[in-house]
Amino acid sequence: MSRPLSKRSGDAAIAAVALDPAAESPLHVQLASQLRQLILSRRLQAGARLPSSRQFAQELSVSRSTVVTAFDQLASEGYCEGRHGSGVYVTADLPEHALEIAASPAAARSEPMPAHPMPVRPFQVAAPDLSLFPHEDWGRLAWKIWRAPDPDLLATADPMGWLPLRRAIADHLAAARGLACHAGQILVTSGIGEAIAITAQALFRRGDRIWVEDPGYPLLLRALSLAGLRVAPVAVDANGLMLERLRGKAAAVAVTPSRHYPLGMTMPVQRRLELIARAEAMAGWIIEDDYDSEFRYRGRPLPALMSLDPNGRTLYLGSFSKVISPAMRLSFLVVPDRLAQRFATTIAQLGAKASLMPQPVLAEFMASGQFGSHIRRMRRIYARRQAALIEAARRHLSGLAEIEPQPSGMHVIARLTLPHMTDAEASRRAEAAGLVAPALSSYAMHARRERGLVLGYAAFSEAEIESAIVALAGALRS
Amino acid sequence: MSRPLSKRSGDAAIAAVALDPAAESPLHVQLASQLRQLILSRRLQAGARLPSSRQFAQELSVSRSTVVTAFDQLASEGYCEGRHGSGVYVTADLPEHALEIAASPAAARSEPMPAHPMPVRPFQVAAPDLSLFPHEDWGRLAWKIWRAPDPDLLATADPMGWLPLRRAIADHLAAARGLACHAGQILVTSGIGEAIAITAQALFRRGDRIWVEDPGYPLLLRALSLAGLRVAPVAVDANGLMLERLRGKAAAVAVTPSRHYPLGMTMPVQRRLELIARAEAMAGWIIEDDYDSEFRYRGRPLPALMSLDPNGRTLYLGSFSKVISPAMRLSFLVVPDRLAQRFATTIAQLGAKASLMPQPVLAEFMASGQFGSHIRRMRRIYARRQAALIEAARRHLSGLAEIEPQPSGMHVIARLTLPHMTDAEASRRAEAAGLVAPALSSYAMHARRERGLVLGYAAFSEAEIESAIVALAGALRS
């Protein structure tokens, strides 16, 4: 979360304020709004004294009456109070709830709300290197398609998504994930949250229990919780979710079998088959989240778990966030054939959320082969970056942390070897040094908390990685 | 999936029913609705025998006539059937599609799932004429922006949406709707469904009661129901929602004050002020849905209701579906300044769903003035089309239906004047003739059902309108 601006945070408040005289909203509204946000985010702390209206007026080149009006507004809302003869203070006893937000605890821990837009910093996880995306090609395709759109793009749209894109996804899944499916089983969604919400509406009742991996993927856990489902954490071992730990009943189990998040192991075929049998026996469902299987550097990937399921009990989640860009907000959901009609009805009822604008562009990008060559190119680059990170860690993190190479994905785990430091503390130190390195323990619910940092490397040049590792070493040693 | 209530599920039905005597809706409507949902969700199984009206009446402390009325209603809808001398049974052979998913009944009735993509047919409502959109300009802007995207478009995005777009929306609202707000109050969403889901998460609790207009806007009703809220229908008169019909308490009231959907009347200032005072008195919220205010042909529009609210209790919903294209899936939500931080947190928690791809394109389209000139051009064209429709109706629908001109919007109401035909029957005949003309009564929940057809005209040339009216006349006469 945001940190206080300074001990005497009031004095720093002026520096954090930026008024725009050209903006639609009056200056006093802008000022009040920005101070309110500083208070709500606790960057201006309870009890802090605000600079005088004269100081504000001078620094911001606005009239004193503008500042006084903003102060009055905030006072009337209870955010601050004048004390006779001594200036204006942030209210000392702002109720806690005014300052808090509700979130699922796991989500809240691992995903603080950033200021926006926020540049991608090392070692941000799950961030592709968008500077290497073929923007020129993408832009040209967008122009070609939208300057004279196919009449079907102007008709009442299919809520399941643009058909040529769903066909291209089916082809991609057959080739890359050994998954035979057809466009009628594929729904284009705006992200994992929508995919899970549709699934919950179609298959589950509010409060249904869903087994999840512990530690687990925060986005998936959050989506399940927001859809009104109860997540029941299940420990993992070197082969993924431990089936012998499944107790009682659940409506579904959600797994990342290609590459466990965040630990990186693959669920072997034998366990996949056992999980499939287990789902069939309890008439439950398997949600397979295949969040970054495109980036595999060594060996052949196992086919998708869904491809092994003869019972039609597996749903498959995929995303274009990492292979195209998170900005497009395009994900997809593959459902068993026998559920296709039910899911078509459900997404029509809930209302489609994925914009059509990027869909035909992506469809052509995939059909033309540009998608495949972009993935192959990024795979080579990301492999070199992982190697650079491991090499830099060998030189600079000795005695502090150890990193094992990973055959796939966009991040590694740095397991702490220095004694007496929690990974939460290590993560805080990294943050203070301008780095992003979530603590491994922050992904755990009840699991034994291993000490480690999750380091993404995909978005950073080898030189950036080197200096970020040096900075991390300094932060851990200091 | 939902499980049946019990082997003899009929007997358990009583336990699952909860009637609220304080609710707006009559007890027999509540009972019918809850039984319908039990049937749709298969908790009451096909062929199950319902408890007798006497049993229901006793257990629920209501009169037998209440129960009998509810049974009759369900029987008329085909959900159950009386068998002579042996009671009432859930229909044994309910068609599969009837069992798919319960939505708000109004939404379900008025929006069957179409085959896709489906060409826009007369008199489809809320469909803009996309053949007149400046696609060439839009495509060129898309190319210009995405071939070399602003670094902020590649950074971790602001979940509230692209800031320049939110600024352009604020400018537009100030100019067109008299609504002073700033970008910090605006959230870009993928549609009304997401906007309502965010609002529900930020302001309401599951099951909170929301007053809605009856008849009302299906998309809004559906979004509220899907967000876990209970809609309580309130009758409308020539000035919109009847405040004297508001009984008990509600967390919010959702209205279409600029132009009631589907009847078209405007809520005058006096009633707006009373509604604002009422919301303040009960510490509730007003959701203002301004779904098509851009197309006004005569007179000046009233400013947005939100602009009149000094208490910060109004939220404003707008959409680009009708002025740009539904394909973009771009809507927005304006929240009072004091809620801006809370909503920023909520959308970050729920995950943004609106694609960034169209957002900078639309921002430039608005900032450059192309948006304004497109609206002005379409306004002239749509005004001519409405006139053409009314003229064609005068010539061809005499003795069948009457249409009053509307000062704004994209549809009119053809009130049936021919005797002995329900509007549902008229709508079916129109459908059989290849036309789309929803029955006015299908928008009503408990309101007296006026006989009429809702006819959209915006997407059709004057010649198409003329021949569609001729076809409609033939269908009604045959």
Side-chain angles (χ1 to χ4, degrees):
Chain A
M1 291 305 282
S2 303
R3 272 148 292 145
L5 290 167
S6 76
K7 283 266 191 297
R8 298 192 55 204
S9 64
D11 293 346
I14 292 181
V17 167
L19 304 184
D20 176 7
E24 181 63 31
S25 104
L27 292 172
H28 67 86
V29 173
Q30 293 181 44
L31 177 56
S33 157
Q34 292 185 33
L35 290 174
R36 191 185 296 108
Q37 296 217 0
L38 291 171
I39 295 169
L40 283 170
S41 63
R42 306 193 200 205
R43 300 181 72 205
L44 261 174
Q45 293 187 304
R49 184 181 186 279
L50 290 175
S52 71
S53 57
R54 193 164 38 79
Q55 279 176 278
F56 259 117
Q58 220 158 28
E59 294 277 342
L60 300 171
S61 308
V62 297
S63 76
R64 272 186 74 178
S65 76
T66 294
V67 182
V68 170
T69 307
F71 282 4
D72 286 350
Q73 175 65 29
L74 291 174
S76 76
E77 295 170 358
Y79 287 106
C80 63
E81 47 199 8
R83 293 189 200 149
H84 189 67
S86 84
V88 175
Y89 292 78
V90 177
T91 305
D93 53 355
L94 271 179
E96 206 45 26
H97 69 81
L99 301 171
E100 282 301 339
I101 38 144
S104 83
R109 252 179 321 186
S110 53
E111 306 196 322
M113 195 176 66
H116 292 288
M118 198 178 60
V120 173
R121 284 175 300 158
F123 299 92
Q124 191 169 319
V125 178
D129 191 339
L130 294 172
S131 72
L132 299 175
F133 186 77
H135 296 292
E136 187 65 58
D137 295 343
W138 183 267
R140 198 176 318 111
L141 276 179
W143 174 72
K144 197 188 95 180
I145 289 164
W146 286 104
R147 68 189 290 262
D150 184 312
D152 278 352
L153 285 169
L154 308 180
T156 302
D158 187 336
M160 291 179 77
W162 182 237
L163 187 59
L165 175 58
R166 289 154 56 210
R167 290 200 181 114
I169 293 171
D171 289 347
H172 169 68
L173 291 175
R177 311 293 299 115
L179 182 54
C181 61
H182 59 86
Q185 295 172 259
I186 297 177
L187 291 83
V188 178
T189 71
S190 61
I192 189 173
E194 186 193 351
I196 292 291
I198 295 165
T199 304
Q201 175 83 6
L203 298 182
F204 305 130
R205 282 193 300 186
R206 207 171 167 74
D208 269 359
R209 199 153 162 260
I210 313 288
W211 285 318
V212 298
E213 296 162 331
D214 182 9
Y217 188 27
L219 281 184
L220 178 60
L221 298 176
R222 182 172 73 168
L224 292 165
S225 299
L226 287 170
L229 304 167
R230 283 184 305 135
V231 298
V234 179
V236 297
D237 62 16
N239 289 329
L241 190 90
M242 296 172 73
L243 300 186
E244 66 271 33
R245 297 288 180 88
L246 300 180
R247 296 203 213 297
K249 292 224 11 151
V253 54
V255 285
T256 53
S258 297
R259 176 169 152 76
H260 175 269
Y261 196 98
L263 298 173
M265 62 277 190
T266 298
M267 186 185 287
V269 169
Q270 187 50 43
R271 192 171 292 183
R272 294 179 185 215
L273 293 173
E274 285 168 21
L275 185 61
I276 288 167
R278 182 79 178 240
E280 176 70 7
M282 69 176 198
W285 305 96
I286 299 171
I287 298 169
E288 173 178 22
D289 189 352
D290 205 11
Y291 60 91
D292 72 355
S293 64
E294 287 82 4
F295 300 117
R296 180 153 208 102
Y297 313 115
R298 286 194 308 281
R300 288 215 21 102
L302 277 179
L305 188 153
M306 187 180 193
S307 71
L308 300 174
D309 179 1
N311 313 313
R313 296 207 157 270
T314 304
L315 295 88
Y316 177 99
L317 298 174
S319 166
F320 293 103
S321 288
K322 293 159 198 93
V323 289
I324 300 289
S325 156
M328 297 303 149
R329 300 239 162 77
L330 284 183
S331 294
F332 61 91
L333 170 65
V334 188
V335 303
D337 215 5
R338 60 175 175 144
L339 295 182
Q341 183 56 42
R342 191 192 296 183
F343 273 71
T345 308
T346 304
I347 195 170
Q349 182 202 359
L350 296 180
K353 294 182 174 59
S355 173
L356 264 186
M357 189 161 173
Q359 293 187 44
V361 182
L362 178 55
E364 283 217 27
F365 193 73
M366 293 178 83
S368 67
Q370 289 163 288
F371 181 74
S373 40
H374 176 58
I375 289 180
R376 285 190 295 277
R377 176 168 173 242
M378 299 315 291
R379 196 182 285 150
R380 286 193 301 274
I381 293 169
Y382 293 169
R384 282 204 301 271
R385 290 178 175 181
Q386 191 196 106
L389 189 152
I390 286 176
E391 172 58 24
R394 198 187 55 72
R395 279 183 282 115
H396 303 295
L397 292 181
S398 168
L400 301 170
E402 278 172 3
I403 302 180
E404 265 184 53
Q406 292 290 318
S408 66
M410 300 165 80
H411 69 259
V412 292
I413 308 276
R415 285 177 208 275
L416 297 184
T417 51
L418 85 176
H420 312 308
M421 189 187 291
T422 64
D423 60 359
E425 168 63 15
S427 177
R428 271 192 296 276
R429 289 183 178 208
E431 176 75 30
L435 303 170
V436 184
L440 188 53
S441 62
S442 73
Y443 295 89
M445 286 161 283
H446 308 141
R448 186 172 59 81
R449 300 189 167 201
E450 298 180 86
R451 293 189 307 145
L453 298 175
V454 180
L455 307 182
Y457 51 81
F460 316 103
S461 71
E462 294 165 44
E464 286 173 312
I465 288 170
E466 166 87 16
S467 54
I469 286 288
V470 170
L472 178 62
L476 294 181
R477 277 218 180 79
S478 65
Chain B
M1 282 306 279
S2 303
R3 269 147 287 147
L5 291 168
S6 77
K7 283 264 191 300
R8 296 193 55 203
S9 63
D11 293 344
I14 292 180
V17 167
L19 305 183
D20 177 10
E24 178 65 29
S25 105
L27 292 171
H28 66 87
V29 174
Q30 292 181 44
L31 177 57
S33 156
Q34 292 184 34
L35 289 175
R36 193 186 294 109
Q37 296 220 358
L38 290 171
I39 296 169
L40 283 171
S41 63
R42 307 192 200 206
R43 299 182 71 205
L44 261 174
Q45 294 189 301
R49 184 182 186 279
L50 290 175
S52 72
S53 57
R54 193 164 39 79
Q55 279 175 279
F56 260 117
Q58 220 159 27
E59 294 278 341
L60 300 171
S61 306
V62 296
S63 75
R64 272 186 76 176
S65 76
T66 294
V67 182
V68 170
T69 309
F71 283 3
D72 286 350
Q73 175 64 30
L74 291 173
S76 77
E77 294 170 357
Y79 288 105
C80 63
E81 46 198 10
R83 294 188 197 151
H84 188 68
S86 82
V88 176
Y89 292 78
V90 176
T91 304
D93 53 355
L94 272 179
E96 212 36 31
H97 69 84
L99 297 172
E100 294 296 344
I101 312 177
S104 85
R109 251 179 323 190
S110 54
E111 303 194 324
M113 195 178 65
H116 292 288
M118 199 178 59
V120 173
R121 285 175 301 159
F123 299 92
Q124 191 169 320
V125 178
D129 190 339
L130 295 172
S131 73
L132 299 174
F133 186 77
H135 295 292
E136 186 66 57
D137 295 344
W138 182 267
R140 198 176 317 109
L141 277 178
W143 173 72
K144 197 189 94 181
I145 289 164
W146 285 105
R147 66 189 291 263
D150 184 311
D152 279 352
L153 285 169
L154 307 181
T156 302
D158 187 337
M160 292 179 75
W162 182 237
L163 187 59
L165 175 59
R166 290 153 57 211
R167 290 202 180 113
I169 292 171
D171 289 347
H172 169 67
L173 292 174
R177 309 296 297 117
L179 181 54
C181 60
H182 59 87
Q185 296 172 259
I186 297 176
L187 291 82
V188 178
T189 71
S190 60
I192 189 175
E194 186 192 350
I196 292 291
I198 295 166
T199 304
Q201 175 85 3
L203 297 182
F204 305 131
R205 282 190 301 186
R206 206 170 167 77
D208 269 359
R209 202 156 161 258
I210 313 289
W211 285 319
V212 299
E213 296 162 332
D214 183 9
Y217 188 27
L219 281 185
L220 178 59
L221 299 176
R222 184 172 71 168
L224 292 166
S225 299
L226 287 171
L229 305 168
R230 281 185 308 135
V231 299
V234 179
V236 297
D237 63 15
N239 289 329
L241 190 91
M242 296 173 74
L243 300 186
E244 67 270 32
R245 296 288 181 89
L246 300 181
R247 294 201 218 299
K249 295 228 3 157
V253 54
V255 286
T256 53
S258 297
R259 174 170 154 74
H260 175 268
Y261 197 100
L263 298 172
M265 63 275 191
T266 299
M267 186 185 287
V269 169
Q270 187 51 43
R271 190 169 294 183
R272 294 179 184 215
L273 294 173
E274 286 168 21
L275 186 59
I276 288 167
R278 183 78 178 242
E280 176 70 6
M282 68 175 199
W285 304 97
I286 299 170
I287 298 169
E288 173 179 22
D289 190 354
D290 205 12
Y291 61 91
D292 73 354
S293 63
E294 287 83 2
F295 300 117
R296 179 152 209 104
Y297 314 116
R298 288 192 307 279
R300 288 215 20 102
L302 278 179
L305 188 153
M306 187 181 193
S307 72
L308 300 173
D309 179 0
N311 312 313
R313 294 204 158 273
T314 304
L315 296 88
Y316 177 100
L317 298 175
S319 167
F320 292 105
S321 287
K322 294 159 197 90
V323 290
I324 301 288
S325 156
M328 298 302 148
R329 302 244 160 74
L330 285 182
S331 293
F332 60 92
L333 169 65
V334 189
V335 303
D337 216 6
R338 61 176 173 141
L339 296 182
Q341 182 60 38
R342 191 191 298 184
F343 274 71
T345 307
T346 303
I347 195 171
Q349 183 200 359
L350 295 180
K353 295 183 173 57
S355 173
L356 264 186
M357 188 159 175
Q359 294 188 43
V361 182
L362 179 54
E364 283 218 27
F365 192 73
M366 294 179 82
S368 66
Q370 289 163 288
F371 180 75
S373 40
H374 176 59
I375 288 179
R376 285 188 297 275
R377 174 165 174 247
M378 298 316 291
R379 196 183 283 149
R380 287 192 301 274
I381 292 169
Y382 292 168
R384 282 204 300 273
R385 291 177 175 182
Q386 190 194 109
L389 189 152
I390 287 175
E391 173 56 23
R394 197 187 56 73
R395 280 182 283 116
H396 304 294
L397 292 181
S398 168
L400 301 170
E402 278 173 4
I403 301 181
E404 264 184 54
Q406 292 290 318
S408 65
M410 301 164 79
H411 70 259
V412 293
I413 308 274
R415 284 177 210 276
L416 297 183
T417 52
L418 86 174
H420 313 308
M421 190 188 288
T422 64
D423 60 359
E425 169 61 16
S427 176
R428 271 192 297 275
R429 289 184 179 208
E431 176 74 31
L435 303 170
V436 183
L440 188 52
S441 62
S442 72
Y443 296 89
M445 285 161 283
H446 310 137
R448 186 173 59 82
R449 300 188 167 198
E450 296 180 89
R451 291 190 308 145
L453 298 175
V454 180
L455 306 182
Y457 51 79
F460 317 103
S461 72
E462 294 164 46
E464 287 173 310
I465 288 170
E466 166 85 16
S467 54
I469 286 286
V470 170
L472 178 62
L476 293 181
R477 276 216 183 82
S478 64

